[in-house]
Amino acid sequence: MPDIFTPEWYDAMLELANSRDDLSDKVPQGEWRVAIEIEGDGISPYTPEGEFKYFYVYMVDGKIKELNPCEEKITVKGLNYRISGPASVFESMAAGLMDPIEKGLDGTLTIRGDMRVMMQNADLANIIFDVFKSSDLTDWPKGMPPYDKQSC
Amino acid sequence: MENTKYDAIIIGAGHNGMALATYLGKSGWKVLVLERRLEEGGGLCTEQYTRVEFNHNLHSNYHTFVGLCPVYDDLELVGGRDGVSYAHPPVQMGSIFEDGTAMTIHTDMKKTHASMSRFSKKDADTFQRLYKEVKGFQDLMIGTLMYAPPIDVNDITKALSIWKVEDKTEFFRARLRSISINDFLDKHFEHDKIKAMLAFHASICGYFTDVVGLAISFPFMLGKIDNWRLCLGGAHRLAHTLWRKMRRYDITLRMASPVQKILVENGKAVGVQTYDDQEFYADKLVASSIDLGQTFNDMLPEDAAIPKEIQLEIDNYQYQDGSFFSVHMAMDKIPTYKAAEFDPDINNAWVLNLGFERLEDFNQDWEDIRNKKVPANPKLNVAVNSMFDSTDAPDGKATGLIRVWVPYDVDGKGPGTWNTSFKDVYTNRCILKMEKYCDNFTRDDIIQAKPYTPLDISEKLVNMVNGDWMMGKISEENLMGNRPSPLMSQYKTPIDGLYLCGSTTHPHGFITFGPAYNALKAIAEDFGMDRWWEEI
Amino acid sequence: MKKEYDAIIIGGGSMGLTLGAYLQRAGMETAIFERRWEEGSAICTSECTAPGFLHNLHANFCEFMDWHPPYHDFKLEELGVRMIYPEAQAAIGFSDGRPPIVLYSVEKPENFKKTHESIAQYSKHDADTYVGLRKQILELQDVIAVNYYNPPQDTTGGRGDFFPMLGIPSDLITASCKAVIDYLYESSEFKTMMYRILQEFGPALEMEGLGAMIMGNFWISLNWRMMVGGTHTLAHGLEMAGVREGMDFYENCEVVKVLLDNGRASGIQLKDGTQIKARKLVASNADIKATMLDMVGEENLSETWVRRVKNYRIGYSNVLASTALALHEAPDYKSAKYNPDMNKAFYTIVGFDTPEEILQYIRDGVSGRMPGIAGAGTWVNSLWDPNYAPKGKHSLTGWFFAPKASDLTIEEWDEVKATYNDKFIQRFEKWAPNMTRDNVIADYFYTPLDQELEMRLMEGDFQNGSYMPNQTGHNRPFPEASQYRTEIEGLYLCGPYMHPGGGVSSGVGYNCFKVVAHDFGLEKFWENHPRGF
Ligand SMILES: Cc1cc2nc3c(=O)[nH]c(=O)nc-3n(C[C@H](O)[C@H](O)[C@H](O)COP(=O)(O)OP(=O)(O)OC[C@H]3O[C@@H](n4cnc5c(N)ncnc54)[C@H](O)[C@@H]3O)c2cc1C
Ligand SMILES: Cc1cc2nc3c(=O)[nH]c(=O)nc-3n(C[C@H](O)[C@H](O)[C@H](O)COP(=O)(O)OP(=O)(O)OC[C@H]3O[C@@H](n4cnc5c(N)ncnc54)[C@H](O)[C@@H]3O)c2cc1C
């Protein structure tokens, strides 16, 4: 599997998500736009402290059409959600070590957008996070969380 | 020729009506706001009520959604060219107890913890955990549960269970839907005085602590126990700011223009008629920020198509059990308290509780109020704004406020008692009570005290029926998707083009801007507006 | 808050608001800094008795509205400002129930007949004279307005010119207004009415040298309009006119200093220390002594200016105390049995039967005591406008002539506040038997001291400067300052202590704007304006 945060990795994620029928069943019809913002926190070796990684997810009728890294803060019109948080937390979730709901509840992850739709489609959130945390999704060239010292 | 054609007409220039107008105006709509009184602002009302040079907030005094409510940012209500400034007193709240002790809530959590620890270390720790837990999801929850049209509570419960939230939090439980704030406090806390302090916070936010079901909101409410803000120069300045914003978008506000009719053609609201028989027309919509009685029963034509079940809900709309009796004081100095010996910070605390010592005290008063009895021993909320705003009184003097929870209807004889000399008797009783707690302050230091009664509230703002400043009961049957009625909770009414945008809708009264913000969302969807304010 | 503007105005009273709106429209970036929490100062309305009862504690009679430049130039009616023009404009009743005298609006020609009939009950001569004069004024009124809405031309503000045209002997120009009234009228009843109206709306009745001032009174009386929903709505309208043009308005901002740069006004400093720069000018609507002596500072003024400002007289006449009553029923006058309009007249005089009583009353006031006779000029706006009181109830407001604020101690004023309304109500009952204590739901008394503290109308003088022979026309406030400029370059004065004086006229603000426009080369739009000023 590709290294995390490489173009191949984004493609692989997209494919994996689109292969899950439960996902396309649960996503409300129509267009959905989500921005993810990852802030370097000095722990993660992938995003230098103070810098950001952005990626953009665009879904239509339950299928992901785009899943791309972006250079700058995503300001597309009609964005439905923006999810932001520290890099090590995102990576820990990808590694299956942290629970996104818990991180949302304690404020480590911030979610902007209409939570009502999210609640009405509570299963969906679980599935997406499930996809995201499939740890077999990636190779971790610089080591995976909790990052043993040597690999950093 | 005077202009009579608009895109939207809004009834009532309270903070909700004005905010909705500003959003629409900023979106390029031509908007007219009609206000019954000679002043804009509704509950944002400051007057030199006792004496000249002493500014008193007759209605809202504590603004607790600053920094949490998106409207302040969207409309640039704080700072800048037209904006207001807020004070955020470091010692936010305090309770003074008969035994000479006192407890203080600070913007600095460590100090709050220290103050509570003097009563119970265990409770102080519990409170700290609770507060921390709530803070984590406060923004998310406030965004979801206040600044968005209401969703079915069952959806929420379901999501919480799918996400296994109960396993991940200590205090947040679906079960809270079936218990009262008192129950919640009894379950988690041991010390009477700490429970009283926290229950006091809920009470002053408009929540009766014994009402079953309200515990569900309580954790969020505690999350803003350190967000009591004072609008410098008086609450009315926020109204000025809104008004000036409106003007900048060329929105017209007509004061002294009570609306008496909503004009309906072919089942669609097309305009309004004011008391002087002037007609104004709205191409897109009419939005009412006032009470249901006026909107539906007085203003709509008799043949308006209001389905029976909705009419029934309108007629049965419930108001809060009680109202506020206030005493406004022009004072020679800022009071200090005997309990300062125990906790010197109490002299710097803003929102004070003098009298509630334990949960039973609340229950006693709630029971009295429901039985239409004025509590014989008033429990006071005291606030001296001059401690943080030197412009509200002449140099060296101070303004003060006492608030007491009382019934609107006294002894089942209606509110008339509030127009008799009883109000002076009760004023004295309140002042005597306050005096008991003070060390250097007696009634002689009060230059003038003037009561403001529940009846005064409903005379000044006729939409605050029964003097109910929340404009509708705070209870599960009357919140979220039930407010004002299950069939009208999405800001729309059975009359096409007639929207609701006032405190009778979700979330509720208080200076929240929630009703306007959510009505805007419904309107934006219906009219396919470009939602510049929803930058995510 | 921006740190820099072209023009800064100290004080958001009606004159400051007027100047601000015109300056902003003329392209100057303008801000007003007002110490109170509300705009408009003396054009205020409050629920001082009980919620739902509105009282115009200061200005109630809006008499200039036909001319009032900003009302028309900024289309204030589009901003929701509206007026009512009551048919029966003024009335006096008597304690023994004699027929009242009722004067009707000059809007309809047929009203002159009604006015004439009413006065003629007591004197045909007075009726002829009054109606004759008032008709002549109708012809002249636009010319009077030209004098009013321009910087002053002579010591009488141009008012003296009119005496010969009206057939009033010129030597009365320098006599007292009382002498003019005595010359014109003979009946005791009508003189009582004229004395009272004059005193309340203008100069000291018995002061020599002010005869010409009566012109203002001729001009505006029977032109009285009421602002729907309170006079304060006019302040709202004026502020919004400016804001719509792009002006800024900051309330709760007391100005403590006018900043100088090489002797030129360059900005202001607020009480909290904030400084704001004025690129072009500073204008003050605040009282003249505070502006010049405190904000500019004596050390920055010439000896002449210091002396002139210090000698400027504030108070003496022009001082009123207001009463406000929330009522179950509107007053029902004994005299109304002869003319029901007595019960529905706008400005209603109650408590005086003879001219001597008025004189006694005025003399008490100018000698520094509250008048022994508690009579008043009153109005019950709720008779026309339901906004003024809850359904079925009424709000009455009225004025007493009063000593100036410093004549009584704070304790004495408190005593007056606590007792004078009772005295008034007792007297009122003799004129209108239903005006018992039981008819009064709540009452409020507003003293000159209150006005000084609240509005900075010093001494409670509603023009912030007496009308005296040496303080009118181009002597107002003193010759060197009469053109709205000061000896500090870039500092202008726009308070009611300037020509043509106070009132809900916007006159000072408009005239000051003309001078500023001249100095800064702004477009003089008024020069081609059909209204002629
Ligand atoms: C004593 C008291 C204390 C309070 N303390 C606080 C506090 O500390 N903190 C806080 O946040 N909140 C407080 N509140 C509550 C708060 O003031 C209200 O909940 C809030 O103002 C409601 O806002 P609104 O815009 O929905 O309605 P309002 O502010 O009531 O505005 C409605 C407007 O509609 C107008 N209107 C009514 N009928 C008509 C008609 N027929 N035609 C045209 N216009 C009409 C009214 O005159 C009013 O201006 C207090 C209220 C009271 C009475
Ligand atoms: C009892 C009474 C009855 C009246 N009745 C009538 C009537 O019926 N008809 C009529 O036409 N007129 C009437 N008037 C007169 C009229 O109201 C006033 O003459 C007129 O409003 C004054 O003009 P102004 O508003 O510009 O000045 P002011 O009202 O004096 O305004 C000056 C402003 O400057 C502000 N200010 C002062 N110092 C400072 C400072 N340091 N920093 C910032 N701001 C400052 C003040 O707060 C005030 O807002 C009446 C007046 C009174 C008192």
Short mmCIF file of all heavy atoms in Angstrom, two decimals, chain B residues 444-481:
data_model
loop_
_atom_site.label_atom_id
_atom_site.label_comp_id
_atom_site.label_asym_id
_atom_site.label_seq_id
_atom_site.Cartn_x
_atom_site.Cartn_y
_atom_site.Cartn_z
N ASP B 444 -29.47 53.88 53.20
CA ASP B 444 -29.19 55.31 53.07
C ASP B 444 -28.20 55.62 51.95
O ASP B 444 -28.07 56.76 51.52
CB ASP B 444 -28.62 55.87 54.39
CG ASP B 444 -29.65 55.76 55.50
OD1 ASP B 444 -30.87 55.72 55.16
OD2 ASP B 444 -29.25 55.68 56.67
N ASP B 445 -27.50 54.60 51.51
CA ASP B 445 -26.58 54.82 50.39
C ASP B 445 -27.30 54.72 49.04
O ASP B 445 -26.68 54.89 48.00
CB ASP B 445 -25.44 53.79 50.43
CG ASP B 445 -24.58 53.99 51.67
OD1 ASP B 445 -24.16 55.13 51.89
OD2 ASP B 445 -24.38 53.01 52.42
N ILE B 446 -28.57 54.42 49.11
CA ILE B 446 -29.34 54.37 47.87
C ILE B 446 -30.00 55.72 47.66
O ILE B 446 -30.80 56.17 48.48
CB ILE B 446 -30.42 53.25 47.94
CG1 ILE B 446 -29.73 51.91 48.14
CG2 ILE B 446 -31.28 53.25 46.68
CD1 ILE B 446 -30.69 50.76 48.37
N ILE B 447 -29.61 56.38 46.57
CA ILE B 447 -30.16 57.71 46.29
C ILE B 447 -31.61 57.55 45.86
O ILE B 447 -32.48 58.30 46.24
CB ILE B 447 -29.35 58.41 45.19
CG1 ILE B 447 -27.87 58.43 45.56
CG2 ILE B 447 -29.87 59.80 44.92
CD1 ILE B 447 -26.95 58.75 44.41
N GLN B 448 -31.83 56.56 45.05
CA GLN B 448 -33.20 56.28 44.64
C GLN B 448 -33.32 54.83 44.21
O GLN B 448 -32.44 54.30 43.54
CB GLN B 448 -33.61 57.19 43.49
CG GLN B 448 -35.08 57.06 43.20
CD GLN B 448 -35.63 58.33 42.60
OE1 GLN B 448 -35.04 59.40 42.72
NE2 GLN B 448 -36.76 58.23 41.93
N ALA B 449 -34.41 54.21 44.62
CA ALA B 449 -34.69 52.84 44.18
C ALA B 449 -36.03 52.86 43.50
O ALA B 449 -36.97 53.49 43.96
CB ALA B 449 -34.72 51.90 45.38
N LYS B 450 -36.11 52.16 42.37
CA LYS B 450 -37.38 52.17 41.65
C LYS B 450 -37.65 50.77 41.11
O LYS B 450 -36.81 50.18 40.44
CB LYS B 450 -37.27 53.18 40.49
CG LYS B 450 -38.60 53.60 39.91
CD LYS B 450 -38.40 54.78 38.96
CE LYS B 450 -39.60 54.95 38.06
NZ LYS B 450 -39.35 55.91 36.99
N PRO B 451 -38.84 50.26 41.45
CA PRO B 451 -39.15 48.90 41.00
C PRO B 451 -39.54 48.85 39.54
O PRO B 451 -40.04 49.83 38.99
CB PRO B 451 -40.34 48.52 41.89
CG PRO B 451 -40.99 49.81 42.25
CD PRO B 451 -39.89 50.84 42.30
N TYR B 452 -39.30 47.73 38.94
CA TYR B 452 -39.75 47.45 37.57
C TYR B 452 -40.41 46.08 37.64
O TYR B 452 -39.75 45.08 37.87
CB TYR B 452 -38.56 47.48 36.62
CG TYR B 452 -38.96 47.40 35.16
CD1 TYR B 452 -39.49 48.51 34.51
CD2 TYR B 452 -38.82 46.23 34.45
CE1 TYR B 452 -39.86 48.45 33.18
CE2 TYR B 452 -39.19 46.16 33.11
CZ TYR B 452 -39.70 47.27 32.49
OH TYR B 452 -40.08 47.21 31.17
N THR B 453 -41.71 46.05 37.48
CA THR B 453 -42.47 44.86 37.83
C THR B 453 -42.77 44.00 36.61
O THR B 453 -42.61 44.43 35.47
CB THR B 453 -43.82 45.26 38.46
OG1 THR B 453 -44.65 45.80 37.43
CG2 THR B 453 -43.65 46.30 39.56
N PRO B 454 -43.27 42.78 36.85
CA PRO B 454 -43.68 41.93 35.73
C PRO B 454 -44.71 42.62 34.84
O PRO B 454 -44.70 42.45 33.62
CB PRO B 454 -44.29 40.71 36.43
CG PRO B 454 -43.60 40.64 37.74
CD PRO B 454 -43.37 42.07 38.14
N LEU B 455 -45.58 43.39 35.47
CA LEU B 455 -46.59 44.09 34.68
C LEU B 455 -45.93 45.16 33.81
O LEU B 455 -46.32 45.37 32.66
CB LEU B 455 -47.62 44.73 35.61
CG LEU B 455 -48.83 45.37 34.93
CD1 LEU B 455 -49.57 44.37 34.07
CD2 LEU B 455 -49.77 45.95 35.98
N ASP B 456 -44.92 45.80 34.36
CA ASP B 456 -44.19 46.79 33.56
C ASP B 456 -43.60 46.13 32.31
O ASP B 456 -43.56 46.73 31.24
CB ASP B 456 -43.07 47.44 34.39
CG ASP B 456 -43.62 48.34 35.49
OD1 ASP B 456 -44.74 48.83 35.34
OD2 ASP B 456 -42.91 48.54 36.49
N ILE B 457 -43.11 44.91 32.49
CA ILE B 457 -42.51 44.21 31.34
C ILE B 457 -43.54 44.06 30.23
O ILE B 457 -43.29 44.43 29.08
CB ILE B 457 -41.97 42.83 31.75
CG1 ILE B 457 -40.86 42.96 32.80
CG2 ILE B 457 -41.48 42.05 30.53
CD1 ILE B 457 -40.38 41.63 33.38
N SER B 458 -44.71 43.55 30.59
CA SER B 458 -45.68 43.28 29.53
C SER B 458 -46.33 44.56 29.01
O SER B 458 -46.90 44.57 27.93
CB SER B 458 -46.73 42.27 29.99
OG SER B 458 -47.42 42.78 31.10
N GLU B 459 -46.25 45.64 29.79
CA GLU B 459 -46.76 46.92 29.28
C GLU B 459 -45.78 47.53 28.29
O GLU B 459 -46.16 48.18 27.34
CB GLU B 459 -46.98 47.91 30.42
CG GLU B 459 -48.07 47.51 31.38
CD GLU B 459 -49.45 47.98 30.94
OE1 GLU B 459 -49.58 49.15 30.58
OE2 GLU B 459 -50.37 47.15 30.95
N LYS B 460 -44.53 47.34 28.59
CA LYS B 460 -43.51 47.93 27.72
C LYS B 460 -43.35 47.11 26.45
O LYS B 460 -43.29 47.65 25.36
CB LYS B 460 -42.18 48.01 28.46
CG LYS B 460 -41.28 49.08 27.92
CD LYS B 460 -40.06 49.23 28.80
CE LYS B 460 -39.36 50.54 28.66
NZ LYS B 460 -39.78 51.61 29.52
N LEU B 461 -43.24 45.81 26.62
CA LEU B 461 -43.11 44.94 25.46
C LEU B 461 -44.33 44.02 25.44
O LEU B 461 -44.34 42.99 26.11
CB LEU B 461 -41.82 44.11 25.55
CG LEU B 461 -40.52 44.93 25.50
CD1 LEU B 461 -39.31 44.03 25.67
CD2 LEU B 461 -40.39 45.72 24.20
N VAL B 462 -45.31 44.40 24.68
CA VAL B 462 -46.58 43.67 24.73
C VAL B 462 -46.41 42.23 24.25
O VAL B 462 -47.23 41.38 24.54
CB VAL B 462 -47.68 44.36 23.90
CG1 VAL B 462 -48.07 45.67 24.53
CG2 VAL B 462 -47.25 44.56 22.46
N ASN B 463 -45.33 41.98 23.51
CA ASN B 463 -45.09 40.61 23.06
C ASN B 463 -44.62 39.71 24.19
O ASN B 463 -44.67 38.49 24.07
CB ASN B 463 -44.06 40.60 21.92
CG ASN B 463 -42.80 41.36 22.28
OD1 ASN B 463 -42.85 42.55 22.57
ND2 ASN B 463 -41.68 40.69 22.30
N MET B 464 -44.14 40.29 25.29
CA MET B 464 -43.73 39.46 26.43
C MET B 464 -44.96 39.18 27.29
O MET B 464 -45.13 39.71 28.38
CB MET B 464 -42.62 40.12 27.23
CG MET B 464 -41.33 40.17 26.42
SD MET B 464 -39.90 40.50 27.42
CE MET B 464 -38.63 40.58 26.14
N VAL B 465 -45.82 38.36 26.73
CA VAL B 465 -47.07 38.02 27.38
C VAL B 465 -46.78 37.45 28.77
O VAL B 465 -45.83 36.69 28.94
CB VAL B 465 -47.83 36.99 26.52
CG1 VAL B 465 -49.14 36.60 27.15
CG2 VAL B 465 -48.06 37.55 25.12
N ASN B 466 -47.58 37.83 29.75
CA ASN B 466 -47.38 37.39 31.14
C ASN B 466 -46.02 37.81 31.69
O ASN B 466 -45.50 37.18 32.61
CB ASN B 466 -47.48 35.86 31.26
CG ASN B 466 -48.89 35.38 31.02
OD1 ASN B 466 -49.79 36.19 30.80
ND2 ASN B 466 -49.10 34.08 31.06
N GLY B 467 -45.43 38.83 31.11
CA GLY B 467 -44.12 39.26 31.59
C GLY B 467 -43.07 38.19 31.38
O GLY B 467 -42.02 38.20 32.03
N ASP B 468 -43.36 37.28 30.45
CA ASP B 468 -42.43 36.16 30.23
C ASP B 468 -41.32 36.59 29.29
O ASP B 468 -41.50 36.71 28.09
CB ASP B 468 -43.19 34.97 29.63
CG ASP B 468 -42.26 33.81 29.31
OD1 ASP B 468 -41.04 33.93 29.56
OD2 ASP B 468 -42.76 32.79 28.80
N TRP B 469 -40.17 36.78 29.88
CA TRP B 469 -39.05 37.30 29.10
C TRP B 469 -38.39 36.24 28.23
O TRP B 469 -37.56 36.54 27.40
CB TRP B 469 -38.04 37.98 30.01
CG TRP B 469 -37.72 37.20 31.24
CD1 TRP B 469 -38.50 37.08 32.34
CD2 TRP B 469 -36.56 36.44 31.50
NE1 TRP B 469 -37.88 36.29 33.28
CE2 TRP B 469 -36.68 35.89 32.78
CE3 TRP B 469 -35.40 36.18 30.77
CZ2 TRP B 469 -35.71 35.09 33.35
CZ3 TRP B 469 -34.42 35.38 31.33
CH2 TRP B 469 -34.60 34.84 32.62
N MET B 470 -38.76 34.97 28.44
CA MET B 470 -38.28 33.93 27.53
C MET B 470 -39.27 33.75 26.38
O MET B 470 -39.03 33.01 25.44
CB MET B 470 -38.10 32.61 28.26
CG MET B 470 -36.97 32.60 29.27
SD MET B 470 -35.38 33.07 28.53
CE MET B 470 -34.63 31.45 28.31
N MET B 471 -40.40 34.41 26.46
CA MET B 471 -41.45 34.33 25.44
C MET B 471 -41.86 32.90 25.14
O MET B 471 -41.97 32.48 23.99
CB MET B 471 -41.02 35.06 24.17
CG MET B 471 -41.14 36.57 24.34
SD MET B 471 -40.57 37.49 22.92
CE MET B 471 -41.86 37.15 21.75
N GLY B 472 -42.10 32.17 26.21
CA GLY B 472 -42.55 30.79 26.05
C GLY B 472 -41.84 29.92 27.05
O GLY B 472 -40.68 30.11 27.37
N LYS B 473 -42.59 28.95 27.56
CA LYS B 473 -42.09 28.10 28.64
C LYS B 473 -40.82 27.36 28.22
O LYS B 473 -40.69 26.93 27.07
CB LYS B 473 -43.17 27.09 28.98
CG LYS B 473 -42.92 26.34 30.26
CD LYS B 473 -44.20 25.67 30.70
CE LYS B 473 -44.00 25.01 32.04
NZ LYS B 473 -45.25 24.93 32.79
N ILE B 474 -39.93 27.23 29.20
CA ILE B 474 -38.74 26.42 28.98
C ILE B 474 -39.04 25.05 29.58
O ILE B 474 -38.95 24.84 30.79
CB ILE B 474 -37.51 27.05 29.66
CG1 ILE B 474 -37.27 28.46 29.11
CG2 ILE B 474 -36.27 26.18 29.46
CD1 ILE B 474 -37.00 28.54 27.63
N SER B 475 -39.48 24.15 28.72
CA SER B 475 -39.77 22.80 29.15
C SER B 475 -39.67 21.93 27.91
O SER B 475 -39.72 22.45 26.79
CB SER B 475 -41.17 22.69 29.75
OG SER B 475 -42.12 22.90 28.71
N GLU B 476 -39.55 20.64 28.12
CA GLU B 476 -39.32 19.79 26.96
C GLU B 476 -40.43 19.91 25.94
O GLU B 476 -40.19 19.90 24.73
CB GLU B 476 -39.15 18.34 27.41
CG GLU B 476 -38.29 17.58 26.42
CD GLU B 476 -38.26 16.09 26.68
OE1 GLU B 476 -38.87 15.63 27.67
OE2 GLU B 476 -37.64 15.38 25.87
N GLU B 477 -41.68 20.08 26.45
CA GLU B 477 -42.80 20.17 25.50
C GLU B 477 -42.76 21.45 24.69
O GLU B 477 -43.58 21.66 23.81
CB GLU B 477 -44.16 20.14 26.22
CG GLU B 477 -44.38 19.04 27.22
CD GLU B 477 -43.81 19.40 28.58
OE1 GLU B 477 -44.39 20.25 29.26
OE2 GLU B 477 -42.75 18.82 28.96
N ASN B 478 -41.86 22.34 25.04
CA ASN B 478 -41.90 23.66 24.42
C ASN B 478 -40.52 24.08 23.90
O ASN B 478 -40.30 25.25 23.66
CB ASN B 478 -42.38 24.67 25.47
CG ASN B 478 -43.33 25.69 24.89
OD1 ASN B 478 -43.82 25.50 23.79
ND2 ASN B 478 -43.56 26.76 25.61
N LEU B 479 -39.64 23.12 23.75
CA LEU B 479 -38.31 23.45 23.23
C LEU B 479 -38.05 22.66 21.95
O LEU B 479 -38.85 21.81 21.57
CB LEU B 479 -37.23 23.12 24.27
CG LEU B 479 -37.13 24.06 25.47
CD1 LEU B 479 -36.16 23.51 26.50
CD2 LEU B 479 -36.70 25.46 25.05
N MET B 480 -36.94 22.97 21.32
CA MET B 480 -36.51 22.28 20.09
C MET B 480 -37.67 22.19 19.09
O MET B 480 -38.31 23.18 18.82
CB MET B 480 -35.97 20.88 20.42
CG MET B 480 -34.74 20.86 21.31
SD MET B 480 -33.24 21.49 20.52
CE MET B 480 -32.93 20.25 19.28
N GLY B 481 -37.90 21.02 18.60
CA GLY B 481 -38.93 20.84 17.58
C GLY B 481 -40.35 21.07 18.07
O GLY B 481 -41.29 21.01 17.28
#
